[in-house]
Amino acid sequence: GWGITDKYSGYESSFSAHVNHGSVPYAKNMSSTMTWTNALPIVRLDSLAISYWTWIYTEEGVDNCFLEVSADSMTWAIADTMTGMLPDFSLRRVDLIPFLSSEDEKLWFRFRFVSDAQNEFIGVLLDDIRIHAVQGNGIPSHVDEEISAPRGWALLQKYPNPFNPATTIRYNIVK
């Protein structure tokens, strides 16, 4: 099932989480889960979201990777579905508040990959999984720092070369 691998680089690192621990193609009739076992405390949150970078190469609409959430770690709701083919990493951000009730105190999440008995492809890679939470009213009462223009920037190497159907251009901004 899921595992961390260096066979396929992540978005910003040389490691990524892969549905089949870096082995390709993924298995037929696969059902693999990567679950965060530590629940997130969610009492008095104004906003809660998860973001992650993903690269997908699966059979469109048949082999799927789901982001699922649960308030009790037993009953899971699908918050996001990934399927098909994306030529490069793309950022996904999912608002988790719609999946919570006012009685919920904790939240679990997992990624679940399911394939059928037909075609096999590379699978799904995940990187830079982050939780974004705002507690209270989410509006600062005052701002201590002055907002200013960036002090510098750097344009990094494009990836892959411009002869591909999609090219990613990365940059850094120094504040």
Side-chain angles (χ1 to χ4, degrees):
W2 285 91
I4 305 299
T5 182
D6 62 355
K7 282 186 175 181
Y8 299 99
S9 295
Y11 173 70
E12 290 186 338
S13 69
S14 54
F15 295 92
S16 63
H18 181 255
V19 298
N20 201 26
H21 207 271
S23 296
V24 293
Y26 53 79
K28 294 179 180 179
N29 295 316
M30 187 173 185
S31 180
S32 179
T33 306
M34 178 173 60
T35 306
W36 268 252
T37 55
N38 293 332
L40 300 169
I42 57 172
V43 177
R44 295 184 304 277
L45 289 181
D46 281 349
S47 68
L48 179 65
I50 185 171
S51 67
Y52 49 93
W53 289 90
T54 184
W55 184 87
I56 306 163
Y57 201 88
T58 68
E59 186 177 6
E60 177 79 39
V62 178
D63 299 342
N64 298 291
C65 184
F66 304 102
L67 165 64
E68 298 177 323
V69 295
S70 174
D72 61 8
S73 76
M74 293 185 285
T75 305
W76 296 88
I78 296 173
D80 193 17
T81 303
M82 296 160 275
T83 188
M85 297 182 190
L86 292 175
D88 198 4
F89 274 93
S90 87
L91 178 64
R92 296 179 79 95
R93 184 179 171 106
V94 179
D95 181 11
L96 299 177
I97 292 294
F99 300 96
L100 305 174
S101 72
S102 58
E103 298 85 42
D104 295 336
E105 295 181 3
K106 295 182 178 185
L107 180 76
W108 287 262
F109 68 96
R110 71 183 184 186
F111 290 92
R112 183 171 56 94
F113 181 77
V114 179
S115 66
D116 70 350
Q118 301 302 314
N119 302 314
E120 304 159 295
F121 295 97
I122 294 172
V124 176
L125 301 171
L126 297 172
D127 194 26
D128 280 346
I129 300 167
R130 297 175 189 220
I131 299 295
H132 310 272
V134 175
Q135 190 171 14
N137 63 14
I139 302 171
S141 58
H142 65 282
V143 177
D144 291 329
E145 295 182 36
E146 197 175 295
I147 298 173
S148 60
R151 291 186 317 209
W153 59 276
L155 188 60
L156 305 175
Q157 183 66 34
K158 58 191 170 297
Y159 173 80
N161 69 44
F163 299 104
N164 288 305
T167 299
T168 299
I169 300 173
R170 295 186 181 168
Y171 60 92
N172 288 335
I173 296 177
V174 180
K175 293 186 176 188

